[in-house]
Amino acid sequence: MSQEKNIEFQPLDVSYEVEGRKPKIIIWSKLRDGNTAVIEDRRFLPYFYAIPVQDDNYIEKIKREIERECSRKKIACMVQVNTKKYFGRNIKVLRIVVEIPEQVRQIRDAIKEIPGVEDVLEADVRFSLRYMIDNDMKPFRWYSAKVKELEKGNYRVHKVFEMIDGPRELEAESAPPKLKMFAFDIEVYSPAGSPKPSQDPIIIIGTMNGGIKQFYTVEKYDKKVIEDFAMKIIEEDPDLIVGYNTNSFDWQYLMERSKVLKVNLDIGRKMNSPPSMSVMGHVSIQGRLNVDIFNFVEEMTGTKRKTLDEIAEYMGVMKKSERTLLEWYDIPKLWDSGKAGIEKVLAYNKDDVVSTYRLAEKFIPFGIQLSGLTGIPLDQIMAASVGFRLEYYLMRKAFKYGELVPNREERGRETYKGAIVLSPKPGVHENVAVLDFASMYPNIMIKYNVGPDTLVKDENCSPEECYIAPDVGHKFRKEPSGFFKSVLNELLQARKKMREEMKKYKPDSPEYSILDERQKAVKVLANATYGYMGWQAARWYCRECAEAITAWGRANITSAIDKAKKLGLSVIYGDTDSLFVENKPESVEKLIGWINDELGLEIKVDKIYKRLFFTEAKKRYVGLTQEGAIDIVGFEAIRGDWSEIAKDIQVEVARLVLEEMSTKKAVEHVKNVIEMLRRKEIPMDKLVIWKTITKRIEEYEVDAPHVATAKMYESYGLKISPGDKVGYVVIKGGGKISEKVKPYFAASLEEIDVDYYAEHQIIPAALRILEYFGVKEIELKGQSKGGQKSLMDFFGKSK
């Protein structure tokens, strides 16, 4: 028997196995020296709760009946009477402990049917998550434990231990050990269209983990390519495997192709553990964190096209002009064309894997901090929705506060009145300050103790005892502090402390970077709380809470607007948690002070516009910041169903109007672009219109342009499913638009219908701004100079 000792470790992930009739928790970890370890814990047992009628005599009877039910099902169980909180109310509960996780599922429904049992709770909490919650264990945090060393067995790690005592969390006094990261990207040879693992080989697997290595086959026999790739992973032993859209494509293809070729894709830190689909919808690799960077990108709003080359350019890791670009349908032809073609495909793959690795370097630090905060492993954190991330955090806090976790229920959609949005003052305004309420909704929840456990439904409650929401009348007890108030106070205080701590370090230091990523993760969780309460799938769903929060939000904005006017500030626009006002610094400071003191909310100047243009419509404006940047909100420039050329036109027109104050230059620019289009000088990718397919192709009754395009995609062998985007261009010819579209990859510049793009993309996009200044469509077509008003006519128009 090996000697007991203390170790310090950092969990990456937690899983479990059942050996005989006992569960074994497996903690995949990194040690202080950077080595890998598995820590097994055999001391933890699965359990769940039953809520009995609150009668002490009857509770004992129900307890005995549960024990009999266990016996009937040949399940050894232990039933304990505990006191817990349920929606803030102290109740007696029965804690049912069983031998193995599967038994929870086997007996929970039978127990729910026992007379006197009102409900069964926490029976759907996964066993590994249960262990992490109960032991307050989170990824990327340091812990100590007393252990004894075991034989490695079938683990591919440096050390294997059994936990004797612990774990205990340590102060996060140092940065985590560096994770070994490994990026990969595959290319498939599919001359007949959409790749099929049953027949189409993988011709390249590009990898990067510091150096770049490509495994490829000119002969198109890919068994050795996959085997060499798997061996490379074992040799390099990465903690983290990253890819781009790999959960949906690369891993799925590799797993299916391996079955066809009878390759054992044995790449986990446990022998004979090939990748598999997990309950969270991501591909799981035992002992390694498989992270799809596309999951991070999906939540980005700054760019509509989310291809790897577009995102790499957007994030500044690789310019499209500096990389090899190919279309999917060119790969087979190039691969068959000889050395030069093969080298081009290899260069394309290399650029893809380098882009993936560099994107991971940018995104992973935030993921690590969000994982450490919520307790969700890094490979699952971004695959999970924002609601689920917050819910995992709430479940941890519920355990800490002695609160039972409600069950998830199916609910129908309920609507309620949302935030206030003022009608803007149309025209061009100079020197405008945008004031943003900091975390308005979380602060409202704290101030008014909003939560399902403090909501008073059927009782009378005076203003001395309850906060009463304006407009909707929902009541919330002032005392004691509710679950959500306590959680939010912790989150906001933690973020404040982190931001104070950041001031001690230089912005380029690792300490500053870790704290910055952590405070961003906290902000994301805090800001999700209001939306979570109105989410039908939420365990802590509370429509009245969400309704009351927006009611208080509307009242706060209205009060702030009234005060601004009394201070002599013209209010130009207001939306949810922000106000656009004249930038009179002294008056703005007074307004900020009043909001802080009287409303108890924090507000700050978020942005100052040198010039700002509003139409009559809400949520639609164009601004020129003091730094010279153009912000476009609510116009075509940020919509996904317009071509890039239309978006580019709108941004440049906005710049010329607001920066150079010249509609004449803007009109000339539009004409020049149309002429360039006629001369075939505009690249094809600027003309593509992207649209999402929302249902199966056969369910569409009308052949809209994107539906017609999707059908053409399928004729090229590309399968289109709901949620996929299709890209098309409009070509010359007669008939409806749906009869004049063509997939972008199958069209040439010679076919483009210039008149369509001029009249239905370029000119309308420009006119959305220019028509307000008296510019007519005919002028953009070059047929008249017209009589434009001076831009000065529009300044302060509605003041």
Side-chain angles (χ1 to χ4, degrees):
M1 180 176 173
S2 67
Q3 197 172 5
E4 293 179 1
K5 62 179 178 179
N6 289 312
I7 62 165
E8 293 182 355
F9 67 97
Q10 196 170 77
L12 301 180
D13 197 2
V14 175
S15 58
Y16 78 92
E17 291 177 358
V18 174
E19 283 186 351
R21 298 291 290 176
K22 285 210 165 195
K24 176 178 72 177
I25 289 288
I26 301 169
I27 307 167
W28 303 95
S29 309
K30 296 279 279 190
L31 302 176
R32 285 285 187 184
D33 58 8
N35 283 334
T36 56
V38 156
I39 303 166
E40 297 182 345
D41 193 344
R42 294 174 170 82
R43 302 167 301 159
F44 191 71
L45 294 173
Y47 67 88
F48 62 103
Y49 295 100
I51 302 179
V53 293
Q54 297 300 294
D55 181 321
D56 287 346
N57 296 323
Y58 205 42
I59 286 173
E60 283 300 319
K61 183 181 176 184
I62 295 168
K63 178 176 178 289
R64 289 193 297 272
E65 188 55 45
I66 290 172
E67 289 167 343
R68 279 194 289 269
E69 187 61 42
C70 287
S71 180
R72 278 193 287 269
K73 291 189 177 292
K74 295 183 172 53
I75 292 173
C77 70
M78 179 172 61
V79 186
Q80 305 159 322
V81 180
N82 289 174
T83 300
K84 289 277 185 180
K85 290 180 183 175
Y86 191 42
F87 290 107
R89 182 170 56 98
N90 284 324
I91 64 169
K92 293 278 183 69
V93 294
L94 296 167
R95 183 176 185 259
I96 301 124
V97 184
V98 294
E99 286 183 298
I100 58 174
E102 194 176 309
Q103 291 171 342
V104 173
R105 293 185 290 276
Q106 291 171 354
I107 199 165
R108 62 187 179 188
D109 292 337
I111 289 175
K112 192 173 182 179
E113 296 303 315
I114 292 174
V117 172
E118 294 181 348
D119 208 348
V120 166
L121 297 179
E122 302 194 18
D124 60 346
V125 179
R126 293 201 323 275
F127 183 58
S128 55
L129 175 62
R130 177 85 273 167
Y131 177 86
M132 294 177 77
I133 289 173
D134 287 27
N135 287 282
D136 197 21
M137 181 179 283
K138 291 162 280 197
F140 310 109
R141 298 284 193 267
W142 285 109
Y143 297 86
S144 68
K146 183 182 284 185
V147 298
K148 65 178 180 182
E149 191 165 347
L150 305 175
E151 295 292 325
K152 285 188 186 180
N154 58 356
Y155 292 120
R156 293 185 176 114
V157 292
H158 293 96
K159 299 280 184 180
V160 177
F161 302 104
E162 181 176 356
M163 193 179 296
I164 307 300
D165 186 41
R168 287 172 296 277
E169 186 170 3
L170 302 171
E171 287 297 316
E173 78 290 346
S174 60
K178 187 173 175 61
L179 295 178
K180 292 177 70 175
M181 189 164 75
F182 182 97
F184 81 101
D185 181 76
I186 74 170
E187 311 301 339
V188 177
Y189 180 90
S190 55
S194 186
K196 297 178 180 60
S198 59
Q199 64 185 42
D200 297 324
I202 297 169
I203 49 173
I204 311 173
I205 304 179
T207 68
M208 182 173 178
N209 59 318
I212 297 164
K213 175 77 175 173
Q214 290 172 295
F215 304 96
Y216 63 97
T217 171
V218 177
E219 295 82 13
K220 310 181 196 72
Y221 182 62
D222 53 341
K223 184 174 183 179
K224 190 171 189 307
V225 169
I226 299 171
E227 288 173 339
D228 288 349
F229 166 69
M231 186 56 65
K232 176 75 171 173
I233 292 176
I234 299 301
E235 287 172 0
E236 298 296 336
D237 192 26
D239 306 302
L240 181 60
I241 299 178
V242 299
Y244 196 86
N245 201 33
T246 42
N247 278 335
S248 297
F249 179 72
D250 301 59
W251 279 123
Q252 304 292 339
Y253 206 93
L254 273 163
M255 289 189 291
E256 287 300 314
R257 190 69 185 150
S258 295
K259 288 177 188 172
V260 171
L261 299 173
K262 295 182 171 51
V263 173
N264 183 15
L265 200 59
D266 179 20
I267 58 172
R269 279 186 169 149
K270 185 167 187 184
M271 294 176 191
N272 296 311
S273 59
S276 61
M277 289 304 298
S278 78
V279 292
M280 296 295 288
H282 74 289
V283 173
S284 177
I285 302 170
Q286 282 213 52
R288 308 190 198 280
L289 297 167
N290 168 51
V291 178
D292 190 341
I293 299 303
F294 184 70
N295 292 146
F296 288 84
V297 172
E298 280 183 300
E299 294 184 11
M300 290 169 53
T301 56
T303 176
K304 293 293 179 183
R305 285 196 69 197
K306 300 192 186 320
T307 57
L308 178 54
D309 56 326
E310 291 279 350
I311 297 299
E313 181 166 74
Y314 181 79
M315 294 296 295
V317 303
M318 187 179 288
K319 292 180 180 177
K320 285 168 73 175
S321 59
E322 296 174 356
R323 61 159 294 155
T324 303
L325 290 170
L326 291 179
E327 295 292 354
W328 61 271
Y329 51 83
D330 285 333
I331 290 175
K333 290 180 284 185
L334 286 166
W335 203 251
D336 289 337
S337 68
K339 185 179 177 184
I342 289 169
E343 287 177 353
K344 189 171 184 179
V345 180
L346 285 166
Y348 167 73
N349 173 263
K350 178 184 173 183
D351 288 341
D352 271 1
V353 81
V354 170
S355 296
T356 299
Y357 192 93
R358 291 180 181 167
L359 284 172
E361 289 178 319
K362 286 186 174 284
F363 286 117
I364 292 298
F366 171 75
I368 284 173
Q369 295 307 327
L370 193 56
S371 174
L373 187 66
T374 61
I376 303 175
L378 181 61
D379 57 347
Q380 302 172 32
I381 189 72
M382 296 309 292
S385 69
V386 175
F388 279 121
R389 288 175 221 156
L390 176 62
E391 193 159 271
Y392 273 60
Y393 183 80
L394 293 173
M395 288 166 74
R396 286 178 166 275
K397 291 300 176 184
F399 180 81
K400 179 181 174 183
Y401 297 154
E403 284 270 356
L404 289 166
V405 175
N407 289 324
R408 188 170 287 118
E409 297 176 19
E410 286 189 20
R411 302 178 180 93
R413 184 171 173 77
E414 294 182 294
T415 58
Y416 53 89
K417 192 175 179 181
I420 194 169
V421 183
L422 298 180
S423 294
K425 291 185 176 181
V428 177
H429 305 267
E430 286 195 291
N431 197 19
V432 176
V434 182
L435 304 181
D436 262 10
F437 285 88
S439 302
M440 179 195 261
Y441 287 166
N443 278 309
I444 285 172
M445 292 171 70
I446 291 170
K447 183 177 178 181
Y448 299 108
N449 202 21
V450 177
D453 54 337
T454 57
L455 175 66
V456 177
K457 288 190 176 183
D458 302 320
E459 305 168 38
N460 290 323
C461 195
S462 69
E464 288 73 34
E465 299 173 292
C466 285
Y467 297 110
I468 303 172
D471 192 23
V472 294
H474 301 313
K475 299 176 183 179
F476 300 88
R477 292 195 184 280
K478 292 183 178 180
E479 298 291 341
S481 292
F483 176 53
F484 274 83
K485 178 177 179 176
S486 301
V487 169
L488 281 167
N489 263 327
E490 276 192 34
L491 280 171
L492 296 184
Q493 286 301 315
R495 184 171 182 239
K496 187 176 181 181
K497 187 177 177 183
M498 289 168 198
R499 295 181 74 164
E500 286 297 316
E501 191 74 11
M502 285 166 65
K503 294 174 184 176
K504 299 178 184 177
Y505 303 102
K506 294 180 179 179
D508 59 351
S509 70
E511 292 87 355
Y512 183 97
S513 178
I514 289 167
L515 286 166
D516 190 32
E517 296 297 342
R518 192 168 292 177
Q519 69 87 16
K520 287 177 192 171
V522 171
K523 181 182 178 182
V524 167
L525 279 191
N527 287 340
T529 48
Y530 151 71
Y532 173 81
M533 283 188 165
W535 177 42
Q536 279 77 21
R539 292 178 186 270
W540 281 275
Y541 174 74
C542 179
R543 180 190 59 80
E544 296 92 340
C545 298
E547 198 168 52
I549 294 162
T550 55
W552 267 305
R554 292 192 299 272
N556 284 326
I557 286 280
T558 302
S559 298
I561 289 168
D562 291 342
K563 184 62 179 178
K565 289 175 179 175
K566 287 175 184 173
L567 290 169
L569 290 171
S570 176
V571 179
I572 296 154
Y573 181 57
D575 184 357
T576 309
D577 58 359
S578 60
L579 286 177
F580 292 61
V581 300
E582 284 180 280
N583 185 32
K584 294 179 181 177
E586 194 173 320
S587 298
V588 167
E589 282 305 311
K590 286 181 181 177
L591 176 61
I592 289 172
W594 182 85
I595 289 169
N596 287 335
D597 297 337
E598 296 299 319
L599 299 183
L601 296 171
E602 186 183 339
I603 194 169
K604 60 182 175 59
V605 177
D606 180 60
K607 196 174 288 187
I608 294 175
Y609 286 112
K610 188 177 177 183
R611 293 192 186 91
L612 187 66
F613 160 60
F614 274 104
T615 68
E616 291 85 352
K618 297 175 181 180
K619 297 182 181 286
R620 186 174 292 166
Y621 59 88
V622 181
L624 171 68
T625 68
Q626 287 185 320
E627 297 76 28
I630 294 290
D631 285 345
I632 296 184
V633 175
F635 288 88
E636 285 75 13
I638 60 163
R639 280 173 48 186
D641 54 351
W642 283 71
S643 62
E644 286 295 323
I645 191 69
K647 297 174 191 179
D648 291 349
I649 278 282
Q650 203 168 73
V651 172
E652 185 58 17
V653 162
R655 190 192 68 78
L656 291 167
V657 167
L658 294 180
E659 190 174 272
E660 302 196 22
M661 299 177 64
S662 173
T663 52
K664 183 179 178 181
K665 286 184 179 179
V667 169
E668 287 305 312
H669 175 71
V670 174
K671 290 179 182 177
N672 287 340
V673 170
I674 293 172
E675 280 307 307
M676 289 174 67
L677 185 61
R678 294 192 190 283
R679 296 195 299 266
K680 313 291 186 292
E681 294 173 4
I682 303 293
M684 180 72 81
D685 62 354
K686 294 285 184 184
L687 307 176
V688 181
I689 300 167
W690 293 92
K691 194 83 172 174
T692 302
I693 295 296
T694 58
K695 51 190 175 183
R696 290 182 300 160
I697 304 299
E698 57 269 23
E699 291 176 3
Y700 282 96
E701 295 177 8
V702 179
D703 252 10
H706 67 297
V707 178
T709 306
K711 290 177 179 176
M712 292 183 215
Y713 265 57
E714 295 200 329
S715 71
Y716 282 92
L718 288 167
K719 186 175 179 350
I720 298 296
S721 304
D724 290 346
K725 281 184 180 287
V726 294
Y728 65 87
V729 292
V730 179
I731 60 173
K732 298 169 189 171
K736 299 180 295 183
I737 292 298
S738 58
E739 296 169 356
K740 296 174 58 177
V741 296
K742 202 170 186 179
Y744 71 96
F745 53 78
S748 68
L749 283 173
E750 295 297 325
E751 297 175 274
I752 294 299
D753 187 339
V754 174
D755 291 335
Y756 170 83
Y757 280 91
E759 293 182 17
H760 296 281
Q761 291 276 317
I762 296 171
I763 290 173
L767 279 176
R768 294 300 292 274
I769 295 171
L770 290 175
E771 66 184 353
Y772 195 85
F773 303 106
V775 176
K776 306 293 183 188
E777 182 178 347
I778 197 167
E779 296 167 56
L780 297 179
K781 291 181 176 179
Q783 297 167 12
S784 167
K785 290 185 178 178
Q788 300 148 21
K789 296 179 184 179
S790 162
L791 269 177
M792 296 309 294
D793 296 338
F794 296 89
F795 286 105
K797 181 173 177 178
S798 299
K799 291 181 185 176

